Amino acid sequence: MNKSEQDMDWLNNKKLEVKQKHHYIWANYMKHWSTNGRDIYYTKKKEGIALDSIKSVAVEKYFYRVNTLTEKHVYLIEKLIAMSNDMELKKHHEKVLKSYLDTQKMYKYYTSLDVKSEYGDKLFNAAKNNSIEDRHSQLERDALSVSNKLRNLDVNTLKNIDQMTDFLLFLGHQLTRTKAFKETFIKSFAKNCDPQIAELMEESWWFISFLYGTNLGKSLCINRGYCYQSILENNTSIPFITADAPVVNIHPRPNMGTSPLKHETEYFYPLSPTKAYFIGWSDRFVNSTSLVNESFVKEVNKKWLRVLIFILFQTRLKY
């Protein structure tokens, strides 16, 4: 292969293709609510139920696009990193932040050269639009086999530290990566803090959401030995539904206007219309499989009434 052919090979490399549509809900996950593996029913933002391709649901163009970080953005991110008591996490986040800032400096230098390079343009464009999406894709791949085992009621998986670590890291990010979480979190900051901070947070959310997801995922991993975990089996006539924020805290907290305390967390994650994963501090479910009744299914399904999009199974819900 001569140099010209090598250059063309690099330019046609799929890794350099810009990913425009960023899913904040795993497409493979949504397939479990599909009857044909391609399409799903979901509620529309206004009213009614629609049928569309999985590729078109819970997706937004450039949702995870990397934006330029100014000194103010970096200051805010560093303050958020410093809030953690975990030195290992702090070092991890600082390392990741440095890597993005180094890439940002390289891009600034590259543009200052005023040299046109199709390969250079593609390389930086891919880094800007694909890097966060690719990191979420890796978390999804790591959690795939565990998710399938849980759907198959493999209770031994709950005791496997290595496998559950992959799954819980994914679960932490699945809570913080969604559009609903972003809007709720930033809205809360705008209401209770300086609106300028909320604006900085929105502009650097691509980094902050990953920071929070990593923190939550590690917290779940550390505390899993103290929590109850269960695979919930739903044999009722009412299927579990899911939403564009599929991880929900089902603890009956007395004050929903404040952040939950450790003992007020009971995370529920539907795996399919008939299976779900539970992790929490209460003994509501045992460390095994648990059959749930119709009352419970109704209870958890109603938790998503405040979410914009519900993913339904064959649209047959009996209440």
Side-chain angles (χ1 to χ4, degrees):
M1 185 183 291
N2 59 40
K3 186 178 184 303
S4 177
E5 289 173 329
Q6 287 178 333
D7 290 343
M8 287 303 297
D9 189 50
W10 274 109
L11 289 172
N12 294 327
N13 192 327
K14 284 196 172 183
K15 290 183 179 179
L16 298 182
E17 293 179 4
V18 170
K19 297 175 182 177
Q20 298 182 32
K21 294 182 178 181
H22 295 169
H23 272 94
Y24 43 88
I25 301 296
W26 189 9
N28 179 278
Y29 168 76
M30 291 189 282
K31 285 182 180 179
H32 295 279
W33 277 265
S34 171
T35 56
N36 61 8
R38 298 185 310 274
D39 309 303
I40 52 172
Y41 289 98
Y42 65 95
T43 59
K44 295 189 286 186
K45 288 186 178 181
K46 294 191 176 177
E47 283 187 1
I49 294 172
L51 175 67
D52 208 339
S53 165
I54 288 170
K55 294 180 179 180
S56 303
V57 179
V59 64
E60 186 170 307
K61 272 194 171 185
Y62 308 116
F63 186 67
Y64 298 119
R65 175 188 275 170
V66 172
N67 295 320
T68 300
L69 296 175
T70 66
E71 289 184 6
K72 289 183 178 180
H73 294 122
V74 174
Y75 179 78
L76 172 62
I77 291 171
E78 288 176 340
K79 285 292 183 184
L80 294 174
I81 292 174
M83 290 173 68
S84 172
N85 295 320
D86 188 319
M87 289 304 299
E88 186 180 12
L89 270 179
K90 284 183 180 180
K91 288 179 181 178
H92 169 76
H93 292 315
E94 287 167 356
K95 184 178 178 181
V96 174
L97 176 61
K98 184 179 182 301
S99 71
Y100 279 107
L101 292 176
D102 287 344
T103 302
Q104 188 172 294
K105 287 177 185 177
M106 289 172 59
Y107 180 68
K108 186 176 181 181
Y109 175 70
Y110 166 73
T111 54
S112 71
L113 295 175
D114 198 26
V115 176
K116 291 197 173 185
S117 166
E118 188 178 355
Y119 171 69
D121 291 345
K122 279 195 169 187
L123 184 66
F124 282 110
N125 256 335
K128 181 177 182 179
N129 293 287
N130 300 356
S131 59
I132 300 293
E133 173 79 356
D134 287 345
R135 292 178 74 186
H136 280 303
S137 295
Q138 184 60 56
L139 287 167
E140 291 165 353
R141 285 192 292 271
D142 292 342
L144 179 60
S145 64
V146 185
S147 300
N148 289 335
K149 288 177 181 178
L150 295 176
R151 288 187 189 94
N152 291 327
L153 302 177
D154 183 351
V155 294
N156 291 324
T157 303
L158 297 175
K159 303 171 188 175
N160 189 308
I161 296 175
D162 291 335
Q163 291 184 19
M164 289 308 297
T165 294
D166 287 337
F167 180 75
L168 292 172
L169 285 173
F170 158 78
L171 200 69
H173 282 280
Q174 186 54 87
L175 194 152
T176 65
R177 68 183 281 194
T178 67
K179 186 176 181 179
F181 183 85
K182 174 185 178 180
E183 291 175 347
T184 301
F185 196 94
I186 294 175
K187 185 178 179 180
S188 175
F189 252 83
K191 181 180 178 181
N192 301 309
C193 304
D194 186 338
Q196 192 175 30
I197 295 177
E199 185 177 345
L200 289 170
M201 184 165 282
E202 181 162 13
E203 291 166 350
S204 52
W205 186 251
W206 57 270
F207 187 96
I208 293 171
S209 65
F210 215 92
L211 183 155
Y212 280 131
T214 303
N215 288 356
L216 178 58
K218 185 170 183 183
S219 176
L220 289 171
C221 291
I222 291 172
N223 291 305
R224 60 175 289 281
Y226 307 101
C227 291
Y228 290 89
Q229 296 182 90
S230 186
I231 307 171
L232 308 183
E233 189 174 5
N234 174 16
N235 291 333
T236 74
S237 61
I238 304 174
F240 287 134
I241 63 172
T242 190
D244 57 357
V247 183
V248 64
N249 183 8
I250 60 172
H251 186 279
R253 293 173 52 219
N255 186 358
M256 297 303 290
T258 60
S259 298
L261 300 174
K262 185 181 285 187
H263 68 276
E264 295 177 330
T265 52
E266 295 181 356
Y267 289 119
F268 171 83
Y269 178 62
L271 295 160
S272 73
T274 59
K275 308 292 189 306
Y277 170 76
F278 171 89
I279 181 169
W281 289 83
S282 75
D283 57 356
R284 190 173 187 177
F285 297 106
V286 296
N287 284 318
S288 183
T289 60
S290 299
L291 272 174
V292 296
N293 56 31
E294 191 172 290
S295 176
F296 176 81
V297 179
K298 289 181 178 180
E299 174 195 338
V300 294
N301 281 351
K302 287 177 181 176
K303 288 286 183 180
W304 281 290
L305 290 177
R306 59 183 175 81
V307 184
L308 290 178
I309 298 176
F310 312 95
I311 298 168
L312 311 175
F313 183 71
Q314 296 181 329
T315 71
R316 294 193 301 235
L317 294 179
K318 302 173 185 177
Y319 285 93

